Amino acid sequence: MASKKLGNLIKEARTEAGLTQEQLAGKLGISYQAVSKWENDQSCPDITMLPRLATIFGCSTDELLGIETATTVHHAEVITDDDAKKEDGL
């Protein structure tokens, strides 16, 4: 399965947030050219910028990076006192 590049993910998040490159750049204190380079995969944001981007876009850093977290539910095993005694050899 092909994953999206970071630039595409940033662009999608920015447009979904209703922001222009200039507006996003203003919120981050950077140039709109830097945002353009990110979106065109010519450069990447500094790692310290990722939490700020996620906050602006209202998502987690994992979501921003396109990481899908698996939700695995493990069922608990009920151990009775009798079972515990058997395991202890009593």
Side-chain angles (χ1 to χ4, degrees):
M1 179 169 109
S3 62
K4 292 184 182 181
K5 291 190 174 190
L6 180 58
N8 288 335
L9 295 168
I10 291 173
K11 184 175 183 176
E12 286 178 9
R14 177 183 59 76
T15 56
E16 285 178 20
L19 297 171
T20 65
Q21 288 180 343
E22 293 83 4
Q23 290 168 326
L24 177 58
K27 290 179 178 287
L28 296 170
I30 59 172
S31 69
Y32 77 89
Q33 291 95 335
V35 174
S36 177
K37 285 182 178 183
W38 297 344
E39 292 182 0
N40 290 302
D41 292 311
Q42 295 174 347
S43 68
C44 293
D46 185 89
I47 194 167
T48 61
M49 194 74 68
L50 296 178
R52 293 173 60 195
L53 284 166
T55 298
I56 291 168
F57 298 145
C59 65
S60 69
T61 54
D62 280 355
E63 291 170 316
L64 180 63
L65 295 171
I67 298 170
E68 295 181 26
T69 55
T71 320
T72 305
V73 177
H74 297 279
H75 298 284
E77 180 181 349
V78 177
I79 300 176
T80 64
D81 286 339
D82 290 337
D83 293 333
K85 288 177 185 175
K86 287 178 188 174
E87 287 182 11
D88 291 338
L90 300 177

